[in-house]
Amino acid sequence: MQRYSIFSLARNALTGHRNWPQAWRSPAPKPEYDVVIVGGGGHGLATAYYLAAEHGIANVAVLEKGWLGGGNTGRNTTIIRSNYLWDESAAIYEKSLRLYEGLSRELNFNIMLSQRGVLNLAHNEHDLKEMARRVRAIRGNGIDSEILTPAEIKKLVPAINVSKDMRYPILGASLQRRGGVARHDAVAWGFARGADDRGVDIIQNCEVTGIDRKGGRVTGVRTTLGPIKAGKVGVVVAGHASVLADMAGFRLPIDSHPLQAMVSEPIKPVLDCVVMSNAVHVYVSQSDKGELVIGAGIDSFNSYAQRGSWQIIEGQMGALVELFPVFSRLRLMRSWGGIVDTCPDASPILSKTPVEGLYFNCGWGTGGFKATPGSGWAFAHTIARDEPHPLNAPFSLDRFATGALIDEHGAAAVAH
Amino acid sequence: MLLIHCPWCGPRDESEFGYGGEADIARPPDPDALSDAEWADYVFMRTNTKGRFKEQWVHIHGCGRWFTLVRDTVTHEHGEAGVFGGVEPEADG
């Protein structure tokens, strides 16, 4: 791997940038691997990277049916935060945020992490009380969080409307200053390059069509490029977890829904933190290109089509212009949809399964991007040791039988 | 936006309807006999089909009645709505 640095940049500039090597190889699949990872999004690539980097397991293939990061990794609104209520969630999301903080250096790939702060607005008395409880819980877990008054919000975000004659006036907010955004594609590409450098085969345009089992144990996968044997298989396919579980003969507590996001035309810098409102249903940040990046809740119906309905966009635009009247004359440039796998308790599943040697990492719902490195780190441990790390043990599939659910509906960016 | 055919009110915009998820999840006839795993299967596990999927909708901003739809979860194509308990829409006048 050619390291990226000011010197390699200068050297390649002298030759007109014609001699940069490819960031990763595109090998044909081998007949057999120690571990096959299904899904080449951020979480899958992170899993492969940490398998090689932390556990010395490099005879690994990542199978991606499309292109790297072409699913939800490339469709989210790039927000990173760890302000979760329950200890179990706080631990894994904070692990992820800490990995993010060192990731550009670790991967030698600029993921453009910008810790610009994430602001969660409160619009009524109940919101304020719930927020105070939440901030205390978060701080109790050693994670930064603070409460702002409307005057302090206005100082931080001058464009916001804090007047009392809004339909849902802003009464306060919680702020996680270490939260922010990162370049989503770069996270996938950085992990891909790092994994490839350690010997992982990354195979794109290879769709898994079946999971082979013998005597209750996984033996490999069938793909559009032929069968591949595997000692262990890790499935990390946001938006299709139920489909893959069906191939392995069991069901998941998951419903798949469209989640839409959109960007405005680019404008000059106007918003330098992330603003979220659970109550009026919108979240917004401004990208480095100047576009406002906007999202809200899922479409209600089950779907595998990567598109959603118009009224969902209309609803969040109403919320956005109420919070920021100055945005009312902006035009939307693009909108798109991804498919999110939602769990009944709004928490993910990182778990062993009824099939030996088969592991699932799924159910991140609307908020998986922020968890990418932590998820991959814990899932790699789960696969390598055949047992969950304490960080992801609470997120096992059997919590739905034991009743030990981790209810994080309140931690979502917007209510679902 | 989906255009959904309510069995009683005809074609209406999706925004008039509430979504009820997967259809035909029957409450176990003998709940005391169920293991924890069987309860989890009833309460939480879902088929979440990619393709033709039988689901429930309620015309919440219309007649307020529930019905079923078989919809393709990739193309959104769906046929006639079905009604619970065999009550035909015509019979209801």
Side-chain angles (χ1 to χ4, degrees):
Chain A
M1 180 176 83
Q2 183 176 352
R3 285 187 67 76
Y4 298 148
S5 69
I6 185 69
F7 304 109
S8 67
L9 188 63
R11 212 166 37 245
N12 280 283
L14 290 174
T15 52
H17 294 296
R18 283 186 299 270
N19 297 324
W20 285 109
Q22 288 203 314
W24 54 83
R25 302 162 294 129
S26 294
K30 291 190 280 191
E32 186 167 0
Y33 289 92
D34 292 341
V35 179
V36 162
I37 301 294
V38 185
H43 290 238
L45 293 163
T47 305
Y49 173 80
Y50 289 116
L51 272 174
E54 302 265 332
H55 303 280
I57 301 174
N59 184 21
V60 175
V62 177
L63 310 181
E64 165 55 45
K65 73 172 174 180
W67 64 96
L68 296 190
N72 291 346
T73 298
R75 292 163 192 266
N76 61 73
T77 48
T78 79
I79 297 164
I80 294 169
R81 58 192 174 87
S82 61
N83 54 351
Y84 279 71
L85 176 64
W86 299 108
D87 296 351
E88 297 86 349
S89 320
I92 195 163
Y93 287 105
E94 177 62 10
K95 169 72 181 176
S96 197
L97 179 52
R98 289 193 185 279
L99 287 170
Y100 262 127
E101 286 172 330
L103 202 57
S104 289
R105 185 172 293 267
E106 157 124 18
L107 297 177
N108 179 236
F109 200 104
N110 187 3
I111 62 156
M112 297 165 76
L113 176 68
S114 166
Q115 291 177 291
R116 56 182 64 184
V118 173
L119 199 63
N120 286 82
L121 303 176
H123 296 265
N124 55 49
E125 284 297 321
H126 175 79
D127 280 1
L128 282 176
K129 289 189 173 123
E130 170 63 24
M131 187 175 80
R133 173 201 183 204
R134 186 171 291 274
V135 165
R136 284 196 192 97
I138 292 165
R139 293 171 70 107
N141 276 317
I143 297 168
D144 74 300
S145 188
E146 59 198 273
I147 290 176
L148 302 190
T149 64
E152 290 166 331
I153 296 167
K154 185 70 180 172
K155 198 172 167 201
L156 186 72
V157 188
I160 206 165
N161 175 17
V162 292
S163 75
K164 289 197 169 58
D165 46 12
M166 285 171 77
R167 185 171 180 192
Y168 302 107
I170 296 168
L171 302 182
S174 67
L175 174 66
Q176 184 180 22
R177 292 190 190 271
R178 288 166 58 242
V181 293
R183 174 83 199 275
H184 48 12
D185 298 321
V187 173
W189 297 337
F191 275 124
R193 177 165 164 269
D196 176 86
D197 182 50
R198 285 163 176 78
V200 172
D201 283 358
I202 294 168
I203 299 154
Q204 301 180 68
N205 299 308
C206 176
E207 182 171 356
V208 168
T209 55
I211 295 175
D212 289 327
R213 290 153 289 152
K214 197 172 179 185
R217 192 180 166 84
V218 75
T219 56
V221 292
R222 274 166 281 154
T223 79
T224 48
L225 299 181
I228 300 172
K229 285 188 192 155
K232 294 175 177 176
V233 175
V235 176
V236 202
V237 290
H240 273 76
S242 299
V243 176
L244 271 287
D246 187 50
M247 291 178 193
F250 60 92
R251 298 203 300 167
L252 293 170
I254 280 178
D255 278 313
S256 299
H257 293 273
L259 178 65
Q260 303 184 75
M262 55 219 70
V263 292
S264 74
E265 57 191 324
I267 52 173
K268 289 184 178 176
V270 63
L271 180 63
D272 63 357
C273 71
V274 181
V275 176
M276 305 182 141
S277 171
N278 199 325
V280 302
H281 257 218
V282 74
Y283 42 87
V284 59
S285 64
Q286 188 171 22
S287 76
D288 293 336
K289 288 185 285 185
E291 304 155 345
L292 297 177
V293 183
I294 307 155
I298 55 172
D299 285 56
S300 67
F301 52 83
N302 285 38
S303 174
Y304 286 90
Q306 288 171 315
R307 60 183 185 275
S309 292
W310 170 254
Q311 80 271 13
I312 304 292
I313 296 176
E314 200 176 24
Q316 61 192 275
M317 287 304 117
L320 183 71
V321 299
E322 175 90 335
L323 296 177
F324 296 94
V326 67
F327 293 163
S328 65
R329 278 175 289 172
L330 284 179
R331 284 164 291 194
L332 278 187
M333 228 168 40
R334 299 187 300 278
S335 76
W336 62 91
I339 298 303
V340 297
D341 286 341
T342 58
C343 277
D345 57 354
S347 285
I349 297 165
L350 286 112
S351 181
K352 299 171 74 167
T353 69
V355 180
E356 219 179 309
L358 178 66
Y359 310 86
F360 265 63
N361 179 350
C362 60
W364 289 93
T366 58
F369 176 69
K370 70 174 84 70
T372 305
S375 154
W377 190 89
F379 198 48
H381 182 285
T382 307
I383 295 172
R385 309 278 180 88
D386 191 37
E387 63 178 9
H389 187 273
L391 271 183
N392 67 302
F395 297 98
S396 69
L397 191 51
D398 65 14
R399 75 177 187 268
F400 296 95
T402 64
L405 303 185
I406 304 160
D407 179 6
E408 286 290 0
H409 286 280
V414 303
H416 297 301
Chain B
M1 189 182 299
L2 308 182
L3 185 66
I4 296 172
H5 289 253
C6 172
W8 292 276
C9 309
R12 298 294 182 95
D13 284 345
E14 174 205 331
S15 53
E16 291 187 15
F17 295 87
Y19 187 62
E22 189 170 324
D24 296 339
I25 298 175
R27 189 177 170 80
D30 185 6
D32 292 339
L34 260 51
S35 68
D36 287 352
E38 287 165 334
W39 263 116
D41 191 69
Y42 162 65
V43 176
F44 295 119
M45 299 299 161
R46 295 293 176 262
T47 307
N48 194 24
T49 313
K50 182 178 186 178
R52 284 168 57 80
F53 180 61
K54 190 173 179 191
E55 61 193 5
Q56 316 175 106
W57 291 82
V58 56
H59 195 184
I60 197 158
H61 299 301
C63 64
R65 276 184 275 202
W66 287 89
F67 56 92
T68 59
L69 213 57
V70 176
R71 181 177 55 93
D72 189 304
T73 53
V74 180
T75 65
H76 296 331
E77 281 174 318
H78 55 272
E80 289 288 299
V83 294
F84 292 101
V87 182
E88 294 298 322
E90 299 80 25
D92 204 58

